[in-house]
Amino acid sequence: SAMLGGCRLALPAALGPALRGRAAGSGRRAVSTSWCPVGSAFDAKKQQQQLRGSTAGRETGLFGVPELSCPEGFQEAQDKALQESERLVQKACSTPPGPETVMIFDQLSDSLCRVADLADFVKVAHPDFAFREAAEEACRNIGTVVEKLNTDVELCQSLRRLLADEVVMSSLDPETRRVAELFMFDFEISGIHLDEEKRKKAVDLNVRILDLCNEFLIGTHLPNKIDKHVLPEHIRYNFTAEGNYLQVAGLHADCPDDLVREAAYKIFLHSNTQQLKRLEELLASRNSLAQLVGYDTFAHRALQGTMAKNPETVRQFLEKLSDRLSKRTQKDFEMMTRMKMKLNPQNSTLMPWDHPYYSGVLRVERYNIDPGLYCPFFSLGACMEGLNSLFSRLLGISLYAEQTKSGEIWSEDVRKLAVVHETEGLLGYIYCDFFQRPDKPHQDCHFTVRGGRLRENGEYQLPVVVLMLSLPHSASGAPTLLSPGMMENLFHEMGHAMHSMLGRTRYQHVTGTRCPTDFAEVPSILMEYFANDYRVVNQFARHYKTGQPLPKNMVSRLCESKKVCAAADMQLQVFYAVLDQIYHGKHPLKKSTTEILKETQEKVYGLPYVPNTAWQLRFSHLVGYGAKYYSYLMSRAVASMVWKQCFAQNPFDRAMGERYRREMLAHGGGKEPILMVQGMLQKSPSVEDFVDALVSDLDHDFETFIMDS
Ligand SMILES: [Zn+2]
């Protein structure tokens, strides 16, 4: 259960193209007169009828982009974008170095992505295959153009002239300077600043790395086959049979039978020579590329511009955290061992396949958290009203359901929210694609469809995002009821959305969530702290039939249950993060990736390595989060500090809300992340402070403890 599994931000590829996919939209700022209260838009059937694809407006396309009323429109939108980009490339090359250079680069990026980002969403989520296919095609075509631009020497020169001009650079405001550097940073990886021979090498390495990433990623999901006679007959039914073979497609981590989990672990994680070669070549190639463009290691390059800044800080953070966790982890493992002894006296040594299962058993035993008891208090409409009232008290912001035009949305159950500030007016739009449907990925995710930016005419281009959840449809007549976990996920994703809505950056290159990876989860995890606070929950959690509020002790028990074995869970994340750092650190690696895994597992995690297994070959996050797997832990540490220092006293403190908006959300990725943290906390936190915040969250709440004893 990787922490990162829950939420996916559309991440920039670690070694991706310079002008990454960007936002789209026609930008018509039509303020609807038919705004409805947000809660009823999600709960009441009558309102749903009203909001459903009405004929009120004239026919439009997806997200209000006129061309996208049919799949063929993607071609048209793409051609327009490419024409526009050609014009902008010429303009960039003929403009003398100055702030305008950065503006043109941002426009160029915006023009390509007014199609690519939108298509990125449509290709995974549209129910109509023809739309998905057309979107995929548009993504590919724009990707090809972007690759060409990345190696366009003349275009790069125009940016280099600016960066080399100290007088002009020092006259730029910090945001513009940072964005110029970010564009250059993206260019560098294609080796554009190197001589002919090295540049060719860089291009070849980039191509090879992309292939290896894809191959490795596919390999992480492939099932392993095994002769069925190897397994005792009574457990074979747990796996898919294929003639004389059994397919093992996962770890079966929640299966109560120890033997099934053991078999699944040993077979699914069995070492595979081909996949091993891919991984080792991928790591070596990333290292070569990073060194070619001037960095010591791949990690040094990946951490440039992040909150941690360099591998040394990450190493310290993880080492200190591991030290502070080790005693607690030991206790957690002892608890799990005792439980295993009780349930399976013959074989009670705690093994890696036991950790998720027995921590779950302990959680249920300690705190009987039956989601069914909580669901009736968390109707989707109530939760949305809760978010609305929280944002309104903290930030002066309201959410309204807006009627959509015919053709604007891709599924009838999608809701469009207008985000409106009490004095500043409309800030942007959130499309809520919350419900399951066939062919829709089971993934909670925030997509930026259009980034905010200051247009040439002085108008602000409003941000547009999609929040994708995978909620079950309700039984007829009843509202959709959320489990506590789903409620927390909703708050988490809304944290990303508010980051997008409140980022008021001049450039869309750094809009909202387009910020360093180790800062990106701060606003979303902070929302989880709100979701777990009784004062906040009590504002909205009402039984959908009786109107009764959720009892306080049920909220406390829920919070306490999350702390059961939480040290061991965090220790496991530290182990993964350390492994990721070593793999992307100094090359050649001193040992094979499997030997490094074994050594690190025993040192940082504590449960024994199992011979002939190679967990790292299933570590898919190595692709997207290369050298940045620690990010989630670090974001959580910052969110925890912000919560404790600024909101724990009063989660509705408007002055703190305003400070949060001003110091953290408003800048998107346009400001160095540690400066945003300093602005918020009004002090400069040390690595020890980060670690303290994470560890103190594991302490049991004394009051609840007494109550339950
Ligand atoms: Zn997230």
Side-chain angles (χ1 to χ4, degrees):
S1 57
M3 277 176 163
L4 285 160
C7 154
R8 196 182 70 95
L9 266 176
L11 275 177
L15 290 179
L19 297 154
R20 303 187 303 253
R22 287 294 177 252
S26 69
R28 212 180 312 106
R29 199 182 297 196
V31 176
S32 172
T33 49
S34 57
W35 281 344
C36 300
V38 66
S40 58
F42 285 93
D43 267 359
K45 290 285 164 189
K46 190 161 160 272
Q47 291 285 2
Q48 286 185 14
Q49 297 293 349
Q50 260 180 33
L51 286 162
R52 199 167 285 168
S54 83
T55 49
R58 63 180 182 81
E59 185 80 16
T60 182
L62 290 172
F63 296 102
V65 180
E67 295 92 336
L68 300 184
S69 56
C70 58
E72 297 73 38
F74 270 102
Q75 176 80 43
E76 199 186 329
Q78 169 204 310
D79 291 346
K80 267 193 199 170
L82 296 184
Q83 272 173 19
E84 168 88 347
S85 73
E86 270 170 42
R87 186 182 67 78
L88 287 164
V89 169
Q90 281 183 348
K91 194 173 169 194
C93 293
S94 58
T95 303
E100 217 198 331
T101 313
V102 182
M103 179 68 105
I104 298 167
F105 265 79
D106 196 57
Q107 270 176 272
L108 173 60
S109 169
D110 186 56
S111 74
L112 286 170
C113 301
R114 80 188 26 198
V115 184
D117 271 356
L118 191 152
D120 254 339
F121 168 73
V122 172
K123 77 176 184 195
V124 298
H126 203 290
D128 181 346
F129 178 74
F131 264 105
R132 291 204 301 271
E133 205 179 33
E136 180 124 38
E137 175 75 18
C139 282
R140 257 200 308 276
N141 293 339
I142 291 176
T144 310
V145 172
V146 167
E147 263 168 55
K148 265 196 209 133
L149 291 178
N150 279 339
T151 48
D152 186 324
V153 179
E154 215 188 321
L155 181 65
C156 178
Q157 279 301 333
S158 68
L159 192 61
R160 285 172 70 80
R161 275 198 301 275
L162 170 66
L163 287 161
D165 192 328
E166 276 175 40
V167 179
V168 178
M169 276 303 276
S170 62
S171 74
L172 300 179
D173 63 277
E175 189 189 1
T176 304
R177 216 178 306 143
R178 184 171 164 90
V179 171
E181 283 161 1
L182 286 172
F183 275 123
M184 195 59 218
F185 180 66
D186 285 344
F187 261 120
E188 262 178 12
I189 202 66
S190 50
I192 199 154
H193 56 303
L194 304 173
D195 64 45
E196 190 73 25
E197 189 193 340
K198 284 183 176 164
R199 190 161 75 220
K200 195 181 168 305
K201 209 174 157 196
V203 170
D204 292 346
L205 276 168
N206 273 311
V207 171
R208 186 71 192 130
I209 287 167
L210 205 62
D211 287 345
L212 286 163
C213 281
N214 288 331
E215 288 167 21
F216 179 76
L217 210 51
I218 292 168
T220 60
H221 300 303
L222 285 183
N224 274 345
K225 257 198 246 175
I226 185 168
D227 187 327
K228 71 176 180 189
H229 300 101
V230 174
L231 292 184
E233 205 168 349
H234 72 278
I235 67 164
R236 287 181 202 162
Y237 74 93
N238 286 283
F239 308 102
T240 314
E242 228 193 62
N244 269 333
Y245 290 91
L246 293 173
Q247 274 208 0
V248 181
L251 289 173
H252 294 248
D254 296 323
C255 180
D257 188 337
D258 289 354
L259 194 59
V260 173
R261 277 183 279 109
E262 177 176 351
Y265 188 93
K266 287 179 172 169
I267 299 165
F268 188 63
L269 298 184
H270 196 272
S271 192
N272 169 320
T273 317
Q274 240 191 334
Q275 179 76 341
L276 200 60
K277 267 180 152 168
R278 275 180 213 130
L279 176 61
E280 295 189 347
E281 192 190 340
L282 171 62
L283 298 175
S285 304
R286 279 178 164 177
N287 182 70
S288 302
L289 181 59
Q291 289 193 331
L292 192 66
V293 299
Y295 294 86
D296 285 351
T297 67
F298 179 81
H300 283 88
R301 188 194 187 258
L303 296 174
Q304 172 112 346
T306 59
M307 191 154 59
K309 289 187 178 151
N310 54 55
E312 179 54 25
T313 311
V314 177
R315 192 186 59 77
Q316 277 184 25
F317 170 63
L318 295 173
E319 226 164 62
K320 291 199 158 104
L321 181 54
S322 182
D323 284 350
R324 289 282 302 279
L325 287 173
S326 67
K327 262 194 197 142
R328 292 166 188 258
T329 302
Q330 222 37 58
K331 277 191 184 148
D332 286 352
F333 285 154
E334 282 160 20
M335 264 191 332
M336 292 180 216
T337 307
R338 279 197 298 275
M339 180 55 80
K340 189 174 181 183
M341 223 179 277
K342 202 164 104 186
L343 299 180
N344 184 0
Q346 289 91 38
N347 185 3
S348 57
T349 312
L350 195 69
M351 296 302 283
W353 53 81
D354 293 324
H355 173 168
Y357 176 70
Y358 285 105
S359 57
V361 172
L362 284 162
R363 215 162 282 146
V364 170
E365 193 203 51
R366 294 282 147 89
Y367 303 94
N368 178 27
I369 306 300
D370 176 1
L373 297 175
Y374 287 83
C375 286
F377 295 91
F378 295 138
S379 78
L380 178 56
C383 294
M384 292 306 291
E385 267 311 331
L387 284 161
N388 184 42
S389 97
L390 176 63
F391 293 144
S392 134
R393 292 173 72 175
L394 265 184
L395 299 158
I397 282 167
S398 303
L399 308 172
Y400 296 99
E402 185 175 305
Q403 197 162 347
T404 52
K405 294 201 177 78
S406 173
E408 184 178 349
I409 53 177
W410 48 98
S411 173
E412 287 200 333
D413 52 15
V414 173
R415 295 284 170 275
K416 180 187 187 184
L417 300 185
V419 179
V420 182
H421 187 268
E422 59 193 13
T423 58
E424 296 159 46
L426 185 60
L427 295 178
Y429 287 111
I430 304 171
Y431 288 87
C432 300
D433 186 354
F434 283 173
F435 297 99
Q436 292 170 354
R437 65 174 170 266
D439 287 335
K440 181 179 156 182
H442 262 274
Q443 176 96 282
D444 295 343
C445 192
H446 164 280
F447 291 86
T448 301
V449 170
R450 182 172 75 188
R453 74 180 181 105
L454 191 61
R455 286 219 188 87
E456 305 74 74
N457 61 10
E459 258 180 53
Y460 199 78
Q461 171 172 300
L462 296 182
V464 175
V465 304
V466 178
L467 287 191
M468 192 165 89
L469 302 177
S470 217
L471 303 179
H473 275 282
S474 60
S476 64
T480 303
L481 302 178
L482 275 58
S483 69
M486 292 173 188
M487 186 273 280
E488 195 182 72
N489 286 354
L490 172 66
F491 270 63
H492 177 106
E493 296 302 330
M494 278 301 280
H496 286 309
M498 291 314 274
H499 197 188
S500 291
M501 294 298 118
L502 291 172
R504 267 297 180 272
T505 54
R506 187 177 317 172
Y507 307 101
Q508 57 83 43
H509 192 61
V510 289
T511 187
T513 56
R514 280 175 195 154
C515 59
T517 314
D518 56 3
F519 184 79
E521 295 293 332
V522 173
S524 52
I525 297 174
L526 181 61
M527 286 302 293
E528 294 178 22
Y529 284 88
F530 283 97
N532 285 299
D533 187 275
Y534 174 69
R535 293 159 295 181
V536 176
V537 173
N538 190 42
Q539 298 294 307
F540 68 89
R542 295 285 178 279
H543 196 289
Y544 78 102
K545 278 183 183 157
T546 65
Q548 288 290 308
L550 182 64
K552 187 174 182 188
N553 74 329
M554 280 180 74
V555 178
S556 317
R557 292 172 65 85
L558 191 61
C559 293
E560 291 310 294
S561 77
K562 288 176 188 160
K563 295 176 185 169
V564 176
C565 297
D569 292 349
M570 197 181 282
Q571 188 89 56
L572 183 61
Q573 293 301 318
V574 175
F575 159 46
Y576 294 160
V578 170
L579 198 62
D580 171 45
Q581 288 299 308
I582 299 176
Y583 285 172
H584 289 104
K586 204 167 151 45
H587 274 250
L589 297 173
K590 289 198 192 95
K591 296 171 179 173
S592 75
T593 55
T594 306
E595 284 167 315
I596 293 170
L597 171 88
K598 176 177 187 292
E599 201 178 273
T600 312
Q601 176 163 342
E602 281 160 5
K603 197 171 117 205
V604 181
Y605 180 41
L607 295 186
Y609 166 77
V610 180
N612 301 318
T613 63
W615 177 84
Q616 79 275 21
L617 304 183
R618 301 289 182 181
F619 193 5
S620 57
H621 288 305
L622 284 176
V623 169
Y625 286 84
K628 293 186 196 172
Y629 192 82
Y630 75 96
S631 289
Y632 196 93
L633 285 167
M634 197 169 267
S635 279
R636 177 166 287 281
V638 173
S640 171
M641 284 189 276
V642 171
W643 169 258
K644 286 182 192 122
Q645 195 188 310
C646 307
F647 297 109
Q649 197 74 24
N650 171 12
F652 306 108
D653 186 336
R654 179 69 188 261
M656 276 303 169
E658 291 298 335
R659 190 204 282 179
Y660 175 51
R661 178 181 177 186
R662 190 177 64 241
E663 298 293 343
M664 291 187 112
L665 297 179
H667 304 289
K671 189 172 175 180
E672 210 184 297
I674 198 69
L675 296 180
M676 295 194 269
V677 177
Q678 284 167 12
M680 187 68 208
L681 298 175
Q682 302 192 328
K683 68 169 185 202
S684 186
S686 63
V687 171
E688 283 79 7
D689 293 331
F690 281 64
V691 171
D692 275 339
L694 288 172
V695 174
S696 66
D697 279 346
L698 302 171
D699 288 331
H700 281 279
D701 182 56
F702 194 59
E703 212 179 299
T704 315
F705 185 71
I706 296 288
M707 200 171 69
D708 282 334
S709 295

